[in-house]
Amino acid sequence: MVTGTALEAELLELAGAVPDPELPVLTLRELGVLRGVHVHGTGAVEVDLTPTYTGCPAIEAMSVDIERVLRAHGMREVTVRTVLSPAWSTDDITPEGRAKLREFGIAPPRTRRAAGPVPLPLGPTRTRTTATATATDTATDADTGTSAGAPPHPETGTEPVRCPHCGSAGTELLSRFSSTACKALRRCLDCREPFDHFKEL
């Protein structure tokens, strides 16, 4: 995000402090969806906002909250523009945002190894290994084809999803969708606590 004036930098900070409507523990800056702020003339500002995915229902609430905050700061005309390119990625979540997710009990998304196409390894469709698996066995992650507690996948470099409560790498996938489309529901095999995992995009 590049700002050209002190006013734009100030407005960017104000807009960036708006909490995400679906994950209020994060601000829009920490989520990485705020792309830029451009002041045009006197009292007119345009804000660039990138949704986490096309059709995200939260984009309207984000826009309304940004407009409210910037109008309260004296801007007469506020336009929030949806920018789809470059697309948002979970790599855009700031380190502070990842730490807040973990403290809130949500496993943050794993960092992708490199820019470019997201690798899609084909793996088993079951969320656990064979019926003989026990709570101390490794769990197979249907999203990545890796086993929890195992070293990174040799091709994707994907790390296991760690429990935000106890830090264990031994977790299992319960559902690919949780309270929102961007999160999956998992359970720790050590402390047995269920938790949300912010899926990688």
Side-chain angles (χ1 to χ4, degrees), residues 19-69:
D20 176 67
E22 291 184 338
L23 280 171
V25 67
L26 295 184
T27 65
L28 299 186
R29 181 190 67 80
E30 292 163 343
L31 186 59
V33 296
L34 192 62
R35 299 299 193 190
V37 170
H38 314 282
V39 174
H40 302 289
T42 304
V45 61
E46 184 178 78
V47 179
D48 293 339
L49 192 64
T50 298
T52 54
Y53 61 94
T54 304
C56 173
I59 196 74
E60 184 177 347
M62 291 178 188
S63 300
V64 169
D65 289 344
I66 289 172
E67 288 180 25
R68 177 181 47 78
V69 167

mmCIF file of all heavy atoms in Angstrom, residues 19-69:
data_model
loop_
_atom_site.group_PDB
_atom_site.id
_atom_site.type_symbol
_atom_site.label_atom_id
_atom_site.label_comp_id
_atom_site.label_asym_id
_atom_site.label_seq_id
_atom_site.Cartn_x
_atom_site.Cartn_y
_atom_site.Cartn_z
ATOM 1 N N PRO A 19 -12.585 -2.924 12.424
ATOM 2 C CA PRO A 19 -12.555 -4.371 12.639
ATOM 3 C C PRO A 19 -13.263 -5.131 11.521
ATOM 4 O O PRO A 19 -14.216 -4.626 10.921
ATOM 5 C CB PRO A 19 -13.283 -4.559 13.983
ATOM 6 C CG PRO A 19 -14.109 -3.329 14.149
ATOM 7 C CD PRO A 19 -13.415 -2.227 13.418
ATOM 8 N N ASP A 20 -12.777 -6.314 11.230
ATOM 9 C CA ASP A 20 -13.427 -7.178 10.255
ATOM 10 C C ASP A 20 -14.781 -7.608 10.809
ATOM 11 O O ASP A 20 -14.869 -8.028 11.972
ATOM 12 C CB ASP A 20 -12.548 -8.401 9.981
ATOM 13 C CG ASP A 20 -13.219 -9.379 9.049
ATOM 14 O OD1 ASP A 20 -13.410 -9.044 7.867
ATOM 15 O OD2 ASP A 20 -13.592 -10.483 9.505
ATOM 16 N N PRO A 21 -15.875 -7.517 10.038
ATOM 17 C CA PRO A 21 -17.194 -7.849 10.570
ATOM 18 C C PRO A 21 -17.381 -9.325 10.925
ATOM 19 O O PRO A 21 -18.184 -9.650 11.799
ATOM 20 C CB PRO A 21 -18.152 -7.426 9.447
ATOM 21 C CG PRO A 21 -17.312 -7.368 8.218
ATOM 22 C CD PRO A 21 -15.940 -7.008 8.663
ATOM 23 N N GLU A 22 -16.643 -10.213 10.282
ATOM 24 C CA GLU A 22 -16.775 -11.641 10.573
ATOM 25 C C GLU A 22 -15.774 -12.105 11.624
ATOM 26 O O GLU A 22 -16.031 -13.054 12.351
ATOM 27 C CB GLU A 22 -16.599 -12.473 9.293
ATOM 28 C CG GLU A 22 -17.745 -12.312 8.304
ATOM 29 C CD GLU A 22 -17.595 -13.212 7.102
ATOM 30 O OE1 GLU A 22 -16.452 -13.650 6.809
ATOM 31 O OE2 GLU A 22 -18.614 -13.487 6.443
ATOM 32 N N LEU A 23 -14.621 -11.448 11.673
ATOM 33 C CA LEU A 23 -13.575 -11.770 12.653
ATOM 34 C C LEU A 23 -13.164 -10.478 13.344
ATOM 35 O O LEU A 23 -12.103 -9.926 13.059
ATOM 36 C CB LEU A 23 -12.357 -12.405 11.966
ATOM 37 C CG LEU A 23 -12.449 -13.875 11.611
ATOM 38 C CD1 LEU A 23 -11.275 -14.274 10.749
ATOM 39 C CD2 LEU A 23 -12.494 -14.733 12.868
ATOM 40 N N PRO A 24 -13.993 -9.954 14.244
ATOM 41 C CA PRO A 24 -13.698 -8.643 14.841
ATOM 42 C C PRO A 24 -12.410 -8.595 15.648
ATOM 43 O O PRO A 24 -11.963 -7.520 16.033
ATOM 44 C CB PRO A 24 -14.919 -8.383 15.730
ATOM 45 C CG PRO A 24 -15.566 -9.714 15.933
ATOM 46 C CD PRO A 24 -15.251 -10.518 14.717
ATOM 47 N N VAL A 25 -11.782 -9.745 15.892
ATOM 48 C CA VAL A 25 -10.493 -9.754 16.565
ATOM 49 C C VAL A 25 -9.408 -9.163 15.656
ATOM 50 O O VAL A 25 -8.361 -8.724 16.128
ATOM 51 C CB VAL A 25 -10.119 -11.187 17.002
ATOM 52 C CG1 VAL A 25 -9.864 -12.088 15.807
ATOM 53 C CG2 VAL A 25 -8.909 -11.178 17.924
ATOM 54 N N LEU A 26 -9.677 -9.111 14.334
ATOM 55 C CA LEU A 26 -8.727 -8.566 13.363
ATOM 56 C C LEU A 26 -9.225 -7.241 12.809
ATOM 57 O O LEU A 26 -10.418 -7.046 12.609
ATOM 58 C CB LEU A 26 -8.540 -9.533 12.182
ATOM 59 C CG LEU A 26 -7.904 -10.880 12.427
ATOM 60 C CD1 LEU A 26 -7.747 -11.617 11.104
ATOM 61 C CD2 LEU A 26 -6.578 -10.747 13.124
ATOM 62 N N THR A 27 -8.284 -6.339 12.529
ATOM 63 C CA THR A 27 -8.622 -5.122 11.801
ATOM 64 C C THR A 27 -8.456 -5.393 10.306
ATOM 65 O O THR A 27 -7.839 -6.391 9.904
ATOM 66 C CB THR A 27 -7.702 -3.958 12.208
ATOM 67 O OG1 THR A 27 -6.351 -4.266 11.793
ATOM 68 C CG2 THR A 27 -7.751 -3.719 13.712
ATOM 69 N N LEU A 28 -8.992 -4.492 9.494
ATOM 70 C CA LEU A 28 -8.862 -4.662 8.040
ATOM 71 C C LEU A 28 -7.406 -4.590 7.605
ATOM 72 O O LEU A 28 -7.004 -5.246 6.647
ATOM 73 C CB LEU A 28 -9.689 -3.594 7.313
ATOM 74 C CG LEU A 28 -11.200 -3.628 7.580
ATOM 75 C CD1 LEU A 28 -11.915 -2.612 6.695
ATOM 76 C CD2 LEU A 28 -11.775 -5.019 7.394
ATOM 77 N N ARG A 29 -6.591 -3.798 8.324
ATOM 78 C CA ARG A 29 -5.157 -3.762 8.005
ATOM 79 C C ARG A 29 -4.501 -5.097 8.304
ATOM 80 O O ARG A 29 -3.716 -5.614 7.510
ATOM 81 C CB ARG A 29 -4.454 -2.652 8.803
ATOM 82 C CG ARG A 29 -2.950 -2.540 8.500
ATOM 83 C CD ARG A 29 -2.250 -1.619 9.480
ATOM 84 N NE ARG A 29 -2.234 -2.159 10.825
ATOM 85 C CZ ARG A 29 -1.358 -3.098 11.262
ATOM 86 N NH1 ARG A 29 -0.465 -3.612 10.431
ATOM 87 N NH2 ARG A 29 -1.401 -3.516 12.505
ATOM 88 N N GLU A 30 -4.829 -5.676 9.457
ATOM 89 C CA GLU A 30 -4.234 -6.956 9.835
ATOM 90 C C GLU A 30 -4.704 -8.079 8.919
ATOM 91 O O GLU A 30 -3.946 -9.007 8.632
ATOM 92 C CB GLU A 30 -4.577 -7.270 11.291
ATOM 93 C CG GLU A 30 -3.895 -6.334 12.280
ATOM 94 C CD GLU A 30 -4.519 -6.359 13.656
ATOM 95 O OE1 GLU A 30 -5.666 -6.844 13.798
ATOM 96 O OE2 GLU A 30 -3.863 -5.892 14.610
ATOM 97 N N LEU A 31 -5.946 -7.980 8.441
ATOM 98 C CA LEU A 31 -6.464 -8.988 7.510
ATOM 99 C C LEU A 31 -5.827 -8.843 6.137
ATOM 100 O O LEU A 31 -5.737 -9.806 5.384
ATOM 101 C CB LEU A 31 -7.985 -8.865 7.417
ATOM 102 C CG LEU A 31 -8.731 -9.914 6.603
ATOM 103 C CD1 LEU A 31 -8.487 -11.318 7.154
ATOM 104 C CD2 LEU A 31 -10.218 -9.603 6.583
ATOM 105 N N GLY A 32 -5.360 -7.632 5.821
ATOM 106 C CA GLY A 32 -4.664 -7.405 4.558
ATOM 107 C C GLY A 32 -5.563 -7.099 3.381
ATOM 108 O O GLY A 32 -5.131 -7.222 2.227
ATOM 109 N N VAL A 33 -6.813 -6.680 3.642
ATOM 110 C CA VAL A 33 -7.743 -6.428 2.540
ATOM 111 C C VAL A 33 -7.755 -4.968 2.095
ATOM 112 O O VAL A 33 -8.289 -4.650 1.039
ATOM 113 C CB VAL A 33 -9.185 -6.854 2.918
ATOM 114 C CG1 VAL A 33 -9.252 -8.362 3.149
ATOM 115 C CG2 VAL A 33 -9.687 -6.100 4.144
ATOM 116 N N LEU A 34 -7.177 -4.091 2.888
ATOM 117 C CA LEU A 34 -7.153 -2.662 2.553
ATOM 118 C C LEU A 34 -5.958 -2.401 1.644
ATOM 119 O O LEU A 34 -4.811 -2.581 2.044
ATOM 120 C CB LEU A 34 -7.057 -1.835 3.831
ATOM 121 C CG LEU A 34 -7.299 -0.343 3.700
ATOM 122 C CD1 LEU A 34 -8.705 -0.055 3.209
ATOM 123 C CD2 LEU A 34 -7.061 0.337 5.043
ATOM 124 N N ARG A 35 -6.220 -1.969 0.404
ATOM 125 C CA ARG A 35 -5.151 -1.824 -0.587
ATOM 126 C C ARG A 35 -4.619 -0.404 -0.723
ATOM 127 O O ARG A 35 -3.462 -0.207 -1.065
ATOM 128 C CB ARG A 35 -5.645 -2.303 -1.948
ATOM 129 C CG ARG A 35 -6.064 -3.757 -1.993
ATOM 130 C CD ARG A 35 -4.933 -4.686 -1.647
ATOM 131 N NE ARG A 35 -5.272 -6.070 -1.989
ATOM 132 C CZ ARG A 35 -4.562 -7.112 -1.627
ATOM 133 N NH1 ARG A 35 -3.468 -6.945 -0.914
ATOM 134 N NH2 ARG A 35 -4.934 -8.340 -1.957
ATOM 135 N N GLY A 36 -5.453 0.592 -0.485
ATOM 136 C CA GLY A 36 -4.960 1.950 -0.644
ATOM 137 C C GLY A 36 -6.046 2.972 -0.395
ATOM 138 O O GLY A 36 -7.239 2.659 -0.405
ATOM 139 N N VAL A 37 -5.615 4.215 -0.167
ATOM 140 C CA VAL A 37 -6.508 5.351 0.047
ATOM 141 C C VAL A 37 -6.014 6.495 -0.833
ATOM 142 O O VAL A 37 -4.819 6.813 -0.823
ATOM 143 C CB VAL A 37 -6.529 5.778 1.529
ATOM 144 C CG1 VAL A 37 -7.258 7.096 1.698
ATOM 145 C CG2 VAL A 37 -7.180 4.706 2.393
ATOM 146 N N HIS A 38 -6.943 7.103 -1.608
ATOM 147 C CA HIS A 38 -6.566 8.177 -2.533
ATOM 148 C C HIS A 38 -7.488 9.364 -2.310
ATOM 149 O O HIS A 38 -8.708 9.245 -2.469
ATOM 150 C CB HIS A 38 -6.674 7.699 -3.981
ATOM 151 C CG HIS A 38 -6.055 6.344 -4.202
ATOM 152 N ND1 HIS A 38 -4.696 6.161 -4.307
ATOM 153 C CD2 HIS A 38 -6.621 5.106 -4.296
ATOM 154 C CE1 HIS A 38 -4.443 4.868 -4.482
ATOM 155 N NE2 HIS A 38 -5.593 4.214 -4.475
ATOM 156 N N VAL A 39 -6.919 10.509 -1.957
ATOM 157 C CA VAL A 39 -7.693 11.726 -1.750
ATOM 158 C C VAL A 39 -7.787 12.475 -3.079
ATOM 159 O O VAL A 39 -6.789 12.659 -3.773
ATOM 160 C CB VAL A 39 -7.037 12.621 -0.680
ATOM 161 C CG1 VAL A 39 -7.762 13.953 -0.575
ATOM 162 C CG2 VAL A 39 -7.043 11.911 0.672
ATOM 163 N N HIS A 40 -9.016 12.887 -3.432
ATOM 164 C CA HIS A 40 -9.254 13.625 -4.672
ATOM 165 C C HIS A 40 -9.876 14.971 -4.317
ATOM 166 O O HIS A 40 -11.019 15.025 -3.848
ATOM 167 C CB HIS A 40 -10.188 12.842 -5.599
ATOM 168 C CG HIS A 40 -9.674 11.483 -5.958
ATOM 169 N ND1 HIS A 40 -8.603 11.284 -6.796
ATOM 170 C CD2 HIS A 40 -10.086 10.251 -5.571
ATOM 171 C CE1 HIS A 40 -8.374 9.986 -6.934
ATOM 172 N NE2 HIS A 40 -9.256 9.337 -6.197
ATOM 173 N N GLY A 41 -9.149 16.025 -4.516
ATOM 174 C CA GLY A 41 -9.673 17.347 -4.229
ATOM 175 C C GLY A 41 -9.843 17.555 -2.733
ATOM 176 O O GLY A 41 -9.088 17.038 -1.914
ATOM 177 N N THR A 42 -10.877 18.312 -2.374
ATOM 178 C CA THR A 42 -11.135 18.627 -0.978
ATOM 179 C C THR A 42 -12.310 17.809 -0.461
ATOM 180 O O THR A 42 -13.419 17.919 -0.971
ATOM 181 C CB THR A 42 -11.461 20.124 -0.816
ATOM 182 O OG1 THR A 42 -10.380 20.890 -1.361
ATOM 183 C CG2 THR A 42 -11.654 20.478 0.653
ATOM 184 N N GLY A 43 -12.041 16.974 0.517
ATOM 185 C CA GLY A 43 -13.118 16.228 1.158
ATOM 186 C C GLY A 43 -13.604 15.010 0.418
ATOM 187 O O GLY A 43 -14.623 14.428 0.783
ATOM 188 N N ALA A 44 -12.916 14.567 -0.619
ATOM 189 C CA ALA A 44 -13.313 13.374 -1.366
ATOM 190 C C ALA A 44 -12.193 12.338 -1.282
ATOM 191 O O ALA A 44 -11.019 12.658 -1.501
ATOM 192 C CB ALA A 44 -13.617 13.713 -2.817
ATOM 193 N N VAL A 45 -12.554 11.111 -0.964
ATOM 194 C CA VAL A 45 -11.554 10.058 -0.823
ATOM 195 C C VAL A 45 -12.074 8.766 -1.443
ATOM 196 O O VAL A 45 -13.270 8.465 -1.397
ATOM 197 C CB VAL A 45 -11.198 9.836 0.672
ATOM 198 C CG1 VAL A 45 -12.418 9.413 1.470
ATOM 199 C CG2 VAL A 45 -10.082 8.808 0.829
ATOM 200 N N GLU A 46 -11.161 8.038 -2.064
ATOM 201 C CA GLU A 46 -11.475 6.731 -2.646
ATOM 202 C C GLU A 46 -10.627 5.686 -1.933
ATOM 203 O O GLU A 46 -9.417 5.852 -1.781
ATOM 204 C CB GLU A 46 -11.176 6.730 -4.141
ATOM 205 C CG GLU A 46 -11.562 5.448 -4.840
ATOM 206 C CD GLU A 46 -11.290 5.517 -6.332
ATOM 207 O OE1 GLU A 46 -10.110 5.364 -6.723
ATOM 208 O OE2 GLU A 46 -12.242 5.744 -7.100
ATOM 209 N N VAL A 47 -11.286 4.606 -1.496
ATOM 210 C CA VAL A 47 -10.613 3.546 -0.760
ATOM 211 C C VAL A 47 -10.644 2.271 -1.592
ATOM 212 O O VAL A 47 -11.705 1.880 -2.097
ATOM 213 C CB VAL A 47 -11.296 3.295 0.603
ATOM 214 C CG1 VAL A 47 -10.597 2.173 1.360
ATOM 215 C CG2 VAL A 47 -11.332 4.567 1.432
ATOM 216 N N ASP A 48 -9.494 1.628 -1.761
ATOM 217 C CA ASP A 48 -9.403 0.361 -2.490
ATOM 218 C C ASP A 48 -9.461 -0.787 -1.493
ATOM 219 O O ASP A 48 -8.661 -0.855 -0.556
ATOM 220 C CB ASP A 48 -8.105 0.293 -3.290
ATOM 221 C CG ASP A 48 -8.068 1.303 -4.422
ATOM 222 O OD1 ASP A 48 -9.152 1.763 -4.834
ATOM 223 O OD2 ASP A 48 -6.961 1.620 -4.901
ATOM 224 N N LEU A 49 -10.413 -1.691 -1.712
ATOM 225 C CA LEU A 49 -10.645 -2.809 -0.804
ATOM 226 C C LEU A 49 -10.742 -4.086 -1.610
ATOM 227 O O LEU A 49 -11.451 -4.145 -2.615
ATOM 228 C CB LEU A 49 -11.952 -2.561 -0.031
ATOM 229 C CG LEU A 49 -12.287 -3.427 1.160
ATOM 230 C CD1 LEU A 49 -11.263 -3.238 2.278
ATOM 231 C CD2 LEU A 49 -13.683 -3.092 1.675
ATOM 232 N N THR A 50 -10.000 -5.109 -1.192
ATOM 233 C CA THR A 50 -10.024 -6.395 -1.882
ATOM 234 C C THR A 50 -10.690 -7.443 -0.996
ATOM 235 O O THR A 50 -10.238 -7.674 0.132
ATOM 236 C CB THR A 50 -8.587 -6.861 -2.227
ATOM 237 O OG1 THR A 50 -8.000 -5.900 -3.101
ATOM 238 C CG2 THR A 50 -8.592 -8.217 -2.913
ATOM 239 N N PRO A 51 -11.773 -8.066 -1.472
ATOM 240 C CA PRO A 51 -12.439 -9.093 -0.659
ATOM 241 C C PRO A 51 -11.564 -10.336 -0.527
ATOM 242 O O PRO A 51 -10.698 -10.594 -1.365
ATOM 243 C CB PRO A 51 -13.717 -9.394 -1.444
ATOM 244 C CG PRO A 51 -13.385 -9.042 -2.859
ATOM 245 C CD PRO A 51 -12.413 -7.893 -2.784
ATOM 246 N N THR A 52 -11.802 -11.099 0.521
ATOM 247 C CA THR A 52 -11.032 -12.328 0.712
ATOM 248 C C THR A 52 -11.362 -13.357 -0.365
ATOM 249 O O THR A 52 -10.531 -14.193 -0.692
ATOM 250 C CB THR A 52 -11.294 -12.933 2.100
ATOM 251 O OG1 THR A 52 -12.711 -13.106 2.267
ATOM 252 C CG2 THR A 52 -10.767 -12.024 3.199
ATOM 253 N N TYR A 53 -12.556 -13.281 -0.919
ATOM 254 C CA TYR A 53 -12.908 -14.089 -2.086
ATOM 255 C C TYR A 53 -14.052 -13.394 -2.813
ATOM 256 O O TYR A 53 -14.805 -12.623 -2.219
ATOM 257 C CB TYR A 53 -13.279 -15.529 -1.711
ATOM 258 C CG TYR A 53 -14.462 -15.662 -0.789
ATOM 259 C CD1 TYR A 53 -15.752 -15.859 -1.281
ATOM 260 C CD2 TYR A 53 -14.299 -15.617 0.599
ATOM 261 C CE1 TYR A 53 -16.841 -15.996 -0.426
ATOM 262 C CE2 TYR A 53 -15.378 -15.754 1.453
ATOM 263 C CZ TYR A 53 -16.643 -15.948 0.934
ATOM 264 O OH TYR A 53 -17.711 -16.070 1.786
ATOM 265 N N THR A 54 -14.193 -13.650 -4.108
ATOM 266 C CA THR A 54 -15.243 -13.012 -4.893
ATOM 267 C C THR A 54 -16.603 -13.388 -4.339
ATOM 268 O O THR A 54 -16.894 -14.562 -4.121
ATOM 269 C CB THR A 54 -15.134 -13.437 -6.370
ATOM 270 O OG1 THR A 54 -13.825 -13.117 -6.840
ATOM 271 C CG2 THR A 54 -16.158 -12.709 -7.221
ATOM 272 N N GLY A 55 -17.420 -12.388 -4.105
ATOM 273 C CA GLY A 55 -18.745 -12.642 -3.548
ATOM 274 C C GLY A 55 -18.775 -12.695 -2.040
ATOM 275 O O GLY A 55 -19.792 -13.078 -1.456
ATOM 276 N N CYS A 56 -17.675 -12.313 -1.379
ATOM 277 C CA CYS A 56 -17.631 -12.319 0.085
ATOM 278 C C CYS A 56 -18.754 -11.433 0.625
ATOM 279 O O CYS A 56 -18.830 -10.246 0.287
ATOM 280 C CB CYS A 56 -16.280 -11.815 0.572
ATOM 281 S SG CYS A 56 -16.192 -11.590 2.359
ATOM 282 N N PRO A 57 -19.636 -11.973 1.472
ATOM 283 C CA PRO A 57 -20.766 -11.182 1.965
ATOM 284 C C PRO A 57 -20.352 -10.068 2.928
ATOM 285 O O PRO A 57 -21.140 -9.164 3.182
ATOM 286 C CB PRO A 57 -21.638 -12.229 2.677
ATOM 287 C CG PRO A 57 -20.691 -13.315 3.072
ATOM 288 C CD PRO A 57 -19.652 -13.361 1.983
ATOM 289 N N ALA A 58 -19.129 -10.133 3.448
ATOM 290 C CA ALA A 58 -18.694 -9.128 4.422
ATOM 291 C C ALA A 58 -18.229 -7.831 3.771
ATOM 292 O O ALA A 58 -18.058 -6.830 4.454
ATOM 293 C CB ALA A 58 -17.571 -9.694 5.287
ATOM 294 N N ILE A 59 -18.050 -7.833 2.444
ATOM 295 C CA ILE A 59 -17.475 -6.661 1.781
ATOM 296 C C ILE A 59 -18.387 -5.440 1.935
ATOM 297 O O ILE A 59 -17.920 -4.313 2.084
ATOM 298 C CB ILE A 59 -17.183 -6.952 0.289
ATOM 299 C CG1 ILE A 59 -16.239 -5.897 -0.302
ATOM 300 C CG2 ILE A 59 -18.447 -7.063 -0.526
ATOM 301 C CD1 ILE A 59 -14.823 -6.043 0.141
ATOM 302 N N GLU A 60 -19.702 -5.658 1.937
ATOM 303 C CA GLU A 60 -20.633 -4.538 2.084
ATOM 304 C C GLU A 60 -20.531 -3.929 3.484
ATOM 305 O O GLU A 60 -20.506 -2.699 3.632
ATOM 306 C CB GLU A 60 -22.064 -5.001 1.817
ATOM 307 C CG GLU A 60 -23.085 -3.873 1.864
ATOM 308 C CD GLU A 60 -24.489 -4.327 1.516
ATOM 309 O OE1 GLU A 60 -24.647 -5.456 1.003
ATOM 310 O OE2 GLU A 60 -25.430 -3.549 1.757
ATOM 311 N N ALA A 61 -20.460 -4.772 4.502
ATOM 312 C CA ALA A 61 -20.333 -4.276 5.879
ATOM 313 C C ALA A 61 -19.001 -3.551 6.054
ATOM 314 O O ALA A 61 -18.935 -2.506 6.730
ATOM 315 C CB ALA A 61 -20.450 -5.424 6.869
ATOM 316 N N MET A 62 -17.924 -4.076 5.461
ATOM 317 C CA MET A 62 -16.630 -3.399 5.526
ATOM 318 C C MET A 62 -16.719 -2.002 4.922
ATOM 319 O O MET A 62 -16.224 -1.023 5.487
ATOM 320 C CB MET A 62 -15.563 -4.203 4.761
ATOM 321 C CG MET A 62 -15.165 -5.513 5.372
ATOM 322 S SD MET A 62 -13.948 -6.315 4.290
ATOM 323 C CE MET A 62 -13.796 -7.916 5.070
ATOM 324 N N SER A 63 -17.363 -1.913 3.754
ATOM 325 C CA SER A 63 -17.479 -0.635 3.055
ATOM 326 C C SER A 63 -18.261 0.383 3.879
ATOM 327 O O SER A 63 -17.850 1.550 3.994
ATOM 328 C CB SER A 63 -18.163 -0.844 1.695
ATOM 329 O OG SER A 63 -17.424 -1.735 0.885
ATOM 330 N N VAL A 64 -19.367 -0.058 4.466
ATOM 331 C CA VAL A 64 -20.192 0.842 5.281
ATOM 332 C C VAL A 64 -19.404 1.338 6.489
ATOM 333 O O VAL A 64 -19.453 2.532 6.835
ATOM 334 C CB VAL A 64 -21.487 0.128 5.730
ATOM 335 C CG1 VAL A 64 -22.220 0.936 6.792
ATOM 336 C CG2 VAL A 64 -22.387 -0.130 4.528
ATOM 337 N N ASP A 65 -18.656 0.442 7.136
ATOM 338 C CA ASP A 65 -17.878 0.834 8.320
ATOM 339 C C ASP A 65 -16.762 1.805 7.956
ATOM 340 O O ASP A 65 -16.478 2.763 8.697
ATOM 341 C CB ASP A 65 -17.302 -0.404 9.006
ATOM 342 C CG ASP A 65 -18.364 -1.243 9.698
ATOM 343 O OD1 ASP A 65 -19.479 -0.732 9.914
ATOM 344 O OD2 ASP A 65 -18.080 -2.425 10.017
ATOM 345 N N ILE A 66 -16.117 1.581 6.805
ATOM 346 C CA ILE A 66 -15.060 2.498 6.356
ATOM 347 C C ILE A 66 -15.643 3.870 6.061
ATOM 348 O O ILE A 66 -15.091 4.905 6.467
ATOM 349 C CB ILE A 66 -14.345 1.928 5.113
ATOM 350 C CG1 ILE A 66 -13.478 0.726 5.496
ATOM 351 C CG2 ILE A 66 -13.489 3.005 4.441
ATOM 352 C CD1 ILE A 66 -12.887 -0.010 4.312
ATOM 353 N N GLU A 67 -16.769 3.898 5.359
ATOM 354 C CA GLU A 67 -17.421 5.170 5.052
ATOM 355 C C GLU A 67 -17.766 5.934 6.325
ATOM 356 O O GLU A 67 -17.540 7.147 6.428
ATOM 357 C CB GLU A 67 -18.686 4.921 4.230
ATOM 358 C CG GLU A 67 -18.422 4.482 2.801
ATOM 359 C CD GLU A 67 -19.709 4.241 2.040
ATOM 360 O OE1 GLU A 67 -20.748 4.837 2.415
ATOM 361 O OE2 GLU A 67 -19.683 3.460 1.079
ATOM 362 N N ARG A 68 -18.319 5.229 7.303
ATOM 363 C CA ARG A 68 -18.714 5.871 8.569
ATOM 364 C C ARG A 68 -17.504 6.490 9.266
ATOM 365 O O ARG A 68 -17.558 7.647 9.717
ATOM 366 C CB ARG A 68 -19.382 4.843 9.477
ATOM 367 C CG ARG A 68 -19.772 5.374 10.852
ATOM 368 C CD ARG A 68 -20.411 4.285 11.701
ATOM 369 N NE ARG A 68 -19.674 3.029 11.682
ATOM 370 C CZ ARG A 68 -18.569 2.800 12.381
ATOM 371 N NH1 ARG A 68 -18.063 3.751 13.153
ATOM 372 N NH2 ARG A 68 -17.975 1.625 12.315
ATOM 373 N N VAL A 69 -16.406 5.752 9.353
ATOM 374 C CA VAL A 69 -15.206 6.236 10.046
ATOM 375 C C VAL A 69 -14.598 7.439 9.330
ATOM 376 O O VAL A 69 -14.225 8.436 9.969
ATOM 377 C CB VAL A 69 -14.172 5.085 10.173
ATOM 378 C CG1 VAL A 69 -12.815 5.631 10.590
ATOM 379 C CG2 VAL A 69 -14.652 4.041 11.170
#
